[in-house]
């Protein structure tokens, strides 16, 4: 069942009922100010950090799920309704929500009155604009009361939801004309406040939740709306809110617009006040004046569209498969930008308070956005490298506001360092900017110890190479990519964190996955070293990589597939000798991607085993058979009920690894099939089962062992976005940036007769046409560049050209 449809020309998903199986959300904001915006206008805003600088309040884990947002109540005669249906839930005569690139438009209709709510964050400003347009479609005059309502968060979202003995006394506001200034804690240490304003004269306002909503009513039936008149309340402590009352008179056919703005404003420390305890409003007034007319809002909205047009022009495919085009050209790249901005911090499943920026998460996310915003990718790389430790190991996460490592979920996740090599190489292959390798990066943010980025990469590599276990495989440490395979944890106490309990460095538990990762990115590192003339080190690195390949082929091979790990007793994990969890997906994908076993058939065998043992109609499960009991020596993975999350869920992130691996052995048909099974766009028709948004990937789909097989969870913030884009754009469609130009190496279904790619690369636009006259899955027979035949499949870097045409014939 569908709950809407794709409008590709406008790059929108159009939701046609407010009753989606879960809130279907969008993200507003591109730089530093962000909003989460659901199809019923739920969600919240923050500046830079969803935990520390939260502007509006949101209650997670609520019933209904989506409580709190920017709500506009329309009182038209006796009927009260909201354009987005929530929270009043008055049945609407018509409803759509268009989620587009960085904006959403909700249109509701009731009793011949239409209300259109456009929400977006201007490109480089710290505010969310909500423009409401009311149109009288009836043949008689309408007198309408419009009430706005948002609930302020007292900045630190965690404190806000726990520290009530203090918070109920700190709230403060000022109201001047149509503007509400939320200034809690401003009198002491904060020098920022929030504003909520509207560009018209108001009939009244409220800033006290108890007054507006009423002590016993709730947002579904606010007191003030029922009475039809604001209380002009000034809040002192308790819950500060912002509400405006506008009286609107509409002749038949007439429309009127109202621009509401929720903004974040900062003052210099010595210019906080204009009078004792009266906030300096200068920057707020400047901000408001930029959006106080329709024309100014139109202009800001156009700028946003231009920004996205530009970004999404860098890689486009034109194929016969409309869904593929839609995924690649619009939604996958959009989701990559969102994961760039949010990492794993703020979604409808991530509260914004828990996790900062993950080290490995941010490194992998970069694979999906480096072609879009290379300068920002450069900055991100330096931020990440600055948090590394001198011995090459890393924190597991860092805080976006301070950019410092954060030990909250510990360190010693031994895959982390290698992802730094992955993202730096991706950056170099995209940009050719080798100067980044000389950039001085600190250790644990201590500038006095800064060394060039290249040295950081070397320490990453060396850390893994010198921390091997009894089978000459890398020690797993706290965990590897699979945060829940906790081989050194041994937790027996309820509530203990699996991620920080037990020693971070167990002496023997080893990871075959890290071994594969080491081989893949060790090879890349060696080729980088050769490329910059460091042949001696390149040879040493290659020698280490070769040793690791041998170790994997020897102790990391189970006969039909790659072993997953060795536990703290040196027993294999993910082996046929195990009672449960005999085969895991991760080492099959990573080892084959690294090229291990390609020559001797092990790679083919491993992938066949994946197909036979792990595959389902909704994607490949993480492991089989699912764990039915808690295994103390394996940790969190066995704490999940069978079929959920890492315990045999379809963990979308590693499905594209299998798609990539299939291309390594030339299986274009299977690679595409793997891709299709988890791709939300192909699942739109079964949205009632899948439940999460059909336009973005979710982290996990319940596996075949789960009672809710096929149900998605944790949408939006997942490494799946970047890895799918990598798998599709580079491994399947086959446009791979190398240090010295674009390589064309498609691996596609045999019935694909060809497609076209437009790719902006190092300042030049490449028009690439792929022809597949003989229906092969892989192989380039010939290539011409601007009509000239070229040997091999690397398009030489176009030095003085802005436009290059390439024709590739497979065969
Ligand atoms: C989740 C993982 C996540 C980890 C760290 C676990 O509970 O299952 O997916 O990576 O927590 O936050
Ligand atoms: C989600 C985490 O963000 C990611 O870092 C991890 O690799 C996966 N879960 C698997 O556990």
């Amino acid at each position: 069942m569908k709950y809407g449809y794709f409008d590709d020309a406008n790059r929108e998903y159009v939701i046609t009922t407010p009753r989606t199986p879960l809130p279907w959300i969008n993200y507003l904001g591109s730089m530093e100010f962000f909003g989460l915006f659901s199809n019923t206008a739920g969600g919240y805003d923050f500046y830079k950090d969803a935990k520390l600088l939260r502007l509006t309040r949101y209650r997670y884990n609520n019933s209904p799920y989506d409580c709190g947002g920017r709500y506009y109540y329309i009182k038209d005669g006796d009927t009260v309704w909201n354009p987005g249906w929530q929270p009043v839930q008055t049945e609407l005569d018509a409803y759509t929500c268009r989620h587009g690139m960085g904006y959403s438009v909700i249109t509701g209709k009731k009793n011949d009155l239409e209300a259109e709510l456009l929400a977006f964050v201007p490109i480089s400003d710290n505010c969310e604009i909500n423009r409401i347009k009311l149109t009288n479609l009836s043949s008689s005059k309408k007198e309408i009361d419009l009430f706005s309502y948002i609930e302020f968060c007292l900045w630190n979202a965690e404190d806000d939801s726990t520290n009530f003995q203090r918070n109920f006394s700190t709230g403060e506001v000022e109201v001047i004309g149509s503007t509400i200034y939320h200034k809690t804690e401003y009198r002491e240490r904060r020098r920022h406040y929030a504003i909520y304003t509207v560009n018209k004269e108001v009939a009244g306002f409220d800033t006290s939740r108890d007054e507006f909503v009423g002590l016993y009513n709730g947002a579904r039936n606010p007191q003030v709306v029922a009475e039809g008149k604001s209380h002009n309340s000034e809040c002192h402590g308790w819950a500060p809110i912002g509400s405006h009352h506008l009286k609107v008179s509409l002749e038949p056919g007439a429309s009127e617009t109202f621009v509401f703005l929720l903004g974040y404003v900062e003052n210099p420390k010595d210019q906080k006040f204009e009078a004792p305890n009266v906030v300096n409003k200068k920057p707020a007034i400047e901000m408001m004046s930029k959006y106080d007319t329709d024309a100014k809002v139109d202009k800001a909205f156009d700028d946003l569209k231009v920004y996205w047009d530009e970004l999404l022009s860098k890689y486009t495919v034109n194929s016969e498969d409309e869904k593929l085009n839609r995924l690649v050209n619009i939604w996958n790249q959009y989701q990559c930008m969102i994961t760039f901005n949010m990492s794993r911090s703020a979604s409808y499943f991530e509260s914004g308070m828990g996790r900062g920026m993950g080290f490995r998460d941010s490194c992998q996310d970069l694979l999906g956005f480096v072609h879009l915003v290379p300068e920002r990718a450069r900055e991100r790389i330096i931020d990440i490298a600055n948090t590394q430790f001198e011995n090459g190991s890393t924190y597991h996460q860092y805080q976006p506001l301070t950019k410092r490592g954060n030990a909250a979920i510990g360190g010693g996740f031994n895959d982390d360092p290698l992802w730094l090599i992955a993202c730096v190489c991706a950056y170099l292959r995209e940009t050719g900017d080798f100067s980044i390798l000389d950039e001085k990066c600190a250790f644990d943010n201590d500038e006095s110890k800064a060394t060039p980025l290249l040295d950081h990469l070397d320490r990453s590599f060396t850390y893994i190479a010198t921390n091997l276990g009894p089978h000459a495989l890398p020690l797993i440490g706290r965990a590897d990519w699979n945060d829940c395979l906790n081989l050194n944890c041994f937790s027996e106490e309820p509530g203990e964190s699996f991620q920080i309990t037990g020693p971070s460095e167990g002496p023997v538990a080893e990871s075959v996955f890290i071994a594969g990762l080491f081989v893949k990115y060790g090879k890349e590192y060696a080729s980088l070293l050769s490329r910059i003339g460091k042949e001696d080190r390149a040879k040493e690195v290659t020698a280490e990589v070769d040793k690791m390949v041998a170790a994997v082929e020897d102790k990391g091979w189970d006969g039909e597939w790659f072993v997953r790990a060795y536990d703290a007793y040196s027993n294999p994990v993910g082996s046929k000798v195990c009672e449960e969890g005999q085969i895991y997906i991760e080492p099959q994908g990573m080892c084959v991607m690294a090229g291990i076993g390609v020559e001797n058939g092990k790679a083919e065998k491993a992938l066949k085993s994946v197909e036979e043992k792990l595959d389902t109609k909704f994607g490949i499960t993480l492991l089989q058979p699912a764990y039915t009991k808690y295994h103390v020596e394996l940790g969190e993975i066995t704490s999940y009920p069978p079929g959920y999350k890492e315990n045999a869920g379809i963990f979308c992130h590693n499905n594209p690894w299998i798609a990539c691996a299939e291309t390594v052995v030339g299986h274009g048909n299977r690679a595409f099939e793997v891709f299709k099974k988890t791709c939300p766009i192909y699942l739109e028709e079964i949205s009632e089962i899948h439940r999460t948004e059909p336009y973005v990937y979710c982290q996990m789909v319940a596996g075949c062992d789960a009672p809710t097989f096929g149900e998605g969870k944790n949408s939006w913030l997942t490494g799946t976005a970047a890895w799918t884009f990598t798998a599709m754009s580079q491994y399947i469609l086959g446009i791979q940036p190398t240090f010295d130009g674009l390589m064309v190496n498609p691996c596609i279904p045999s019935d694909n007769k060809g497609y076209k790619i437009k790719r902006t690369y190092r300042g030049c636009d490449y028009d690439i046409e792929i022809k597949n006259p003989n229906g092969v899955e892989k192989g380039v027979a010939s290539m011409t560049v601007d009509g000239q035949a070229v040997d091999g499949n690397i398009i030489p870097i176009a030095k003085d050209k802005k436009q290059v045409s390439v024709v590739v014939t497979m065969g």
Side-chain angles (χ1 to χ4, degrees):
M1 183 180 162
K2 299 208 293 179
Y3 298 83
Y5 59 90
F6 286 95
D7 175 351
D8 292 343
N10 288 307
R11 299 196 184 109
E12 291 172 341
Y13 190 78
V14 188
I15 302 167
T16 48
T17 166
R19 290 180 173 89
T20 44
L22 287 167
W24 283 3
I25 74 160
N26 193 13
Y27 283 86
L28 316 177
S30 332
M31 300 295 168
E32 299 191 317
F33 186 96
F34 299 100
L36 281 65
F37 193 95
S38 78
N39 60 314
T40 55
Y44 60 91
D45 289 56
F46 62 92
Y47 174 69
K48 282 192 181 172
D49 187 316
K51 175 175 176 183
L52 300 174
L53 292 171
R54 180 90 62 108
L55 273 83
T56 45
R57 199 170 265 168
Y58 191 77
R59 291 173 188 78
Y60 277 88
N61 192 7
N62 225 315
S63 174
Y65 277 107
D66 199 17
C67 287
R70 35 320 246 170
Y71 291 140
Y72 296 93
Y73 298 85
I74 294 166
K75 190 172 168 114
D76 176 12
D78 291 338
T79 312
V80 176
W81 58 283
N82 309 98
W85 184 64
Q86 292 279 34
V88 177
Q89 298 186 0
T90 299
E91 226 38 69
L92 301 177
D93 298 336
Y95 159 95
T96 54
C97 170
R98 296 181 162 264
H99 284 320
M101 305 289 104
Y103 69 90
S104 293
V105 185
I106 292 181
T107 311
K109 225 189 260 177
K110 184 75 190 172
N111 298 343
D112 292 325
L113 180 67
E114 184 182 87
E116 181 194 270
L117 163 61
L118 162 70
F120 71 100
V121 171
I123 279 293
S124 307
D125 224 336
N126 299 324
C127 57
E128 178 182 322
I129 304 289
N130 285 179
R131 180 167 71 187
I132 307 259
K133 182 175 179 192
L134 296 178
T135 307
N136 181 358
L137 304 171
S138 77
S139 51
S140 45
K141 186 169 175 183
K142 279 186 184 275
E143 301 285 352
I144 300 143
D145 293 292
L146 172 67
F147 294 91
S148 64
Y149 174 52
I150 55 144
E151 186 176 351
F152 290 111
C153 178
L154 308 185
W155 298 112
N156 180 327
E158 189 173 38
D159 193 71
D160 182 71
S161 53
T162 47
N163 193 6
F164 304 106
Q165 60 81 26
R166 170 178 162 81
N167 296 343
F168 283 163
S169 292
T170 54
E172 285 190 291
V173 296
E174 282 176 38
V175 183
I176 310 283
S178 301
T179 307
I180 294 160
Y181 296 82
H182 174 231
K183 58 171 190 177
T184 300
E185 291 191 338
Y186 188 81
R187 66 163 71 231
E188 23 110 359
R189 291 156 299 172
R190 296 192 184 273
R191 44 188 193 83
H192 46 260
Y193 56 86
I195 52 170
Y196 187 45
T197 189
V198 57
N199 69 340
K200 298 271 163 84
E201 203 174 307
V202 294
F205 64 87
D206 277 287
T207 64
S208 152
R209 190 181 68 194
D210 292 347
E211 289 289 328
F212 177 76
V213 166
L215 269 183
Y216 309 103
N217 300 34
R220 195 164 174 183
N221 177 26
Q223 182 92 27
V224 157
V225 179
E227 291 167 7
K229 196 173 178 332
S230 290
H231 289 186
N232 294 342
S233 58
E234 203 177 298
C235 98
H236 300 284
W238 301 108
I241 59 137
S243 173
H244 308 93
H245 176 197
L246 292 129
K247 286 200 152 300
V248 191
S249 246
L250 286 179
E251 295 296 336
S255 298
E256 185 167 356
T257 58
F258 305 86
V259 182
F260 292 86
L261 177 154
L262 172 68
Y264 170 92
V265 179
E266 228 172 66
N267 273 322
K269 207 171 177 179
D270 56 348
Q271 293 166 36
K272 278 174 59 171
F273 299 102
E274 57 187 45
N277 201 28
V278 177
V279 298
N280 170 3
K281 306 192 172 55
K282 205 166 151 255
I285 292 165
E286 269 168 32
M287 178 186 277
M288 292 187 273
S289 71
K290 290 201 260 172
Y291 308 102
D292 57 1
T293 66
D294 262 351
K296 292 182 195 175
V297 171
D298 284 340
K299 169 78 177 66
F301 189 44
D302 284 348
D303 290 347
L304 182 70
K305 291 203 157 167
V306 170
Y307 170 79
W308 279 104
D309 283 348
E310 221 260 310
L311 278 187
L312 297 180
S313 68
K314 297 196 195 278
Y315 188 116
T316 53
V317 60
N318 179 356
S319 80
E320 278 173 12
D321 183 342
E322 185 193 47
K323 294 189 171 121
L324 174 66
N325 300 347
R326 173 183 297 152
L327 177 89
V328 173
N329 300 344
I330 308 172
W331 293 100
N332 195 184
Q333 298 195 65
Y334 184 57
Q335 190 176 359
C336 286
M337 281 304 288
I338 305 302
T339 58
F340 163 58
N341 285 325
M342 298 291 133
S343 188
R344 305 296 170 269
S345 69
S347 74
Y348 267 30
F349 301 86
E350 301 276 10
S351 67
M353 304 179 222
R355 301 205 254 165
M357 312 281 285
F359 191 96
R360 77 159 85 88
D361 295 333
S362 297
C363 290
Q364 287 173 85
D365 290 346
L366 192 133
L367 308 179
F369 67 77
V370 63
H371 67 297
L372 296 171
V373 284
E375 314 74 34
R376 295 175 78 191
R378 189 181 209 275
E379 197 185 318
R380 176 64 58 82
I381 289 172
I382 310 277
D383 288 349
I384 297 172
N386 277 330
T387 68
Q388 191 175 22
F389 294 115
E390 276 177 283
N391 71 355
S393 70
T394 73
Y395 283 106
H396 198 43
Q397 62 182 33
Y398 71 98
Q399 230 25 63
L401 198 61
T402 61
K403 297 188 173 180
R404 301 185 80 87
N406 160 349
I409 64 166
F413 292 75
N414 282 353
D415 63 318
D416 273 331
L418 290 170
W419 294 112
L420 185 65
I421 301 181
C423 76
V424 172
C425 288
Y427 173 80
L428 293 171
R429 287 190 277 108
E430 180 65 32
T431 62
D433 167 25
F434 287 90
S435 75
I436 195 176
L437 296 172
D438 302 326
E439 206 67 53
K440 288 267 174 61
C441 302
F443 289 104
D444 195 5
N445 291 92
D446 180 347
E447 292 294 338
S448 70
K449 292 186 179 147
T451 66
L453 179 62
L454 181 63
D455 176 57
H456 282 250
L457 300 188
D458 213 78
R459 291 181 196 219
S460 287
F461 181 83
T462 305
Y463 183 78
I464 312 303
T466 54
N467 278 284
L468 304 180
H471 302 94
L473 295 164
L475 291 174
I476 198 168
R478 186 74 71 195
D480 60 22
W481 172 88
N482 192 329
D483 279 337
C484 302
L485 187 59
N486 315 117
L487 302 183
N488 296 311
C489 174
F490 290 92
S491 175
E492 300 270 17
E493 285 304 311
E496 268 178 357
S497 158
F498 288 103
Q499 269 82 42
I500 56 176
T501 303
S504 71
E505 288 306 316
V508 300
E510 298 161 289
S511 163
V512 178
F513 170 79
I514 300 181
L517 196 68
F518 180 84
V519 172
K520 174 156 170 57
Y521 293 113
K523 283 180 180 172
E524 278 215 40
Y525 183 46
S527 75
L528 166 61
L529 290 165
S530 303
R531 175 65 174 69
I532 57 174
K534 298 198 182 300
E535 282 302 343
D536 291 348
R537 183 64 184 139
K539 281 199 188 107
E540 289 166 12
V541 165
T542 304
E544 294 292 343
V545 167
D546 290 345
K547 275 200 275 177
M548 192 66 80
V549 172
V552 173
E553 297 230 14
D554 180 16
K555 302 288 193 251
W557 181 249
D558 198 51
E560 300 290 324
W561 56 81
F562 294 100
V563 179
R564 177 62 178 83
Y566 282 93
D567 69 15
Y569 307 109
S570 264
N571 291 325
V573 178
S575 153
K576 58 180 175 303
V577 306
C578 302
E579 186 195 341
E580 314 192 292
Q582 293 174 342
I583 170 171
Y584 279 63
I585 192 173
E586 304 100 313
Q588 323 312 328
M590 196 47 74
C591 292
V592 178
M593 275 163 82
I596 303 173
V598 172
E599 310 278 280
N600 56 26
K602 287 189 173 124
E604 294 255 7
K605 252 193 195 162
L607 293 175
K608 200 84 221 124
S609 299
V610 168
E611 200 171 341
E612 281 167 15
K613 298 192 175 289
L614 298 178
D615 211 4
T616 76
K617 65 175 171 178
F618 293 129
I620 304 167
T621 56
L622 194 145
L623 60 87
Q624 282 296 327
Y627 293 104
T628 57
K629 357 183 223 286
Y630 179 56
H631 295 249
V632 70
E633 77 288 4
L634 302 181
E636 181 172 358
I637 191 159
T638 62
S639 75
Y640 287 109
Y644 292 102
K645 293 279 286 180
E646 284 85 345
N647 185 14
I650 297 159
F651 216 88
C652 299
H653 186 139
N654 45 41
N655 273 242
W657 292 346
I658 298 297
C660 294
E662 291 286 359
T663 70
V664 170
V665 293
H667 298 164
N669 289 323
R670 171 71 181 151
F672 201 79
E673 176 186 288
V674 169
F675 152 74
K676 245 166 105 166
K677 283 189 178 178
T678 54
C679 179
I681 291 174
Y682 294 84
L683 301 174
E684 190 194 8
E685 298 283 349
I686 55 145
S687 289
E688 79 286 9
I689 298 173
H690 190 61
R691 298 187 73 202
T692 49
E693 297 91 334
Y695 40 92
V696 288
Y697 280 93
C698 51
Q699 182 206 53
M700 192 267 304
V701 172
C704 51
D705 301 280
T708 58
F709 181 35
E711 177 191 53
K713 277 196 197 122
N714 301 7
S715 54
W716 284 97
L717 304 185
T718 160
T720 314
W723 269 106
T724 300
F725 190 70
T726 306
M728 185 45 70
S729 63
Q730 301 193 24
Y731 286 79
I732 298 178
L733 298 173
I735 311 299
Q736 302 178 5
T738 71
F739 295 134
D740 297 302
L742 283 180
M743 180 161 93
V744 187
N745 191 17
C747 185
I748 55 176
S750 42
D751 63 2
N752 184 334
K753 292 279 170 264
Y755 52 94
K756 291 180 179 158
I757 304 266
K758 275 187 188 294
R759 175 71 155 94
T760 305
Y761 181 68
R762 303 196 191 177
C764 176
D765 293 332
Y766 293 85
D767 277 310
I768 306 169
E769 181 171 5
I770 314 277
K771 296 181 177 171
N772 188 19
N774 300 323
V776 300
E777 291 178 79
K778 195 171 181 174
V780 168
S782 64
M783 178 163 95
T784 62
V785 175
D786 281 338
Q788 303 286 310
V790 167
D791 282 344
N793 61 348
I794 298 189
I795 310 169
I797 304 247
K799 293 236 162 47
D800 312 309
K801 294 190 194 161
K802 287 270 159 253
Q803 189 81 36
V804 168
S805 293
V806 180
V807 179
V808 173
T809 306
M810 293 176 68

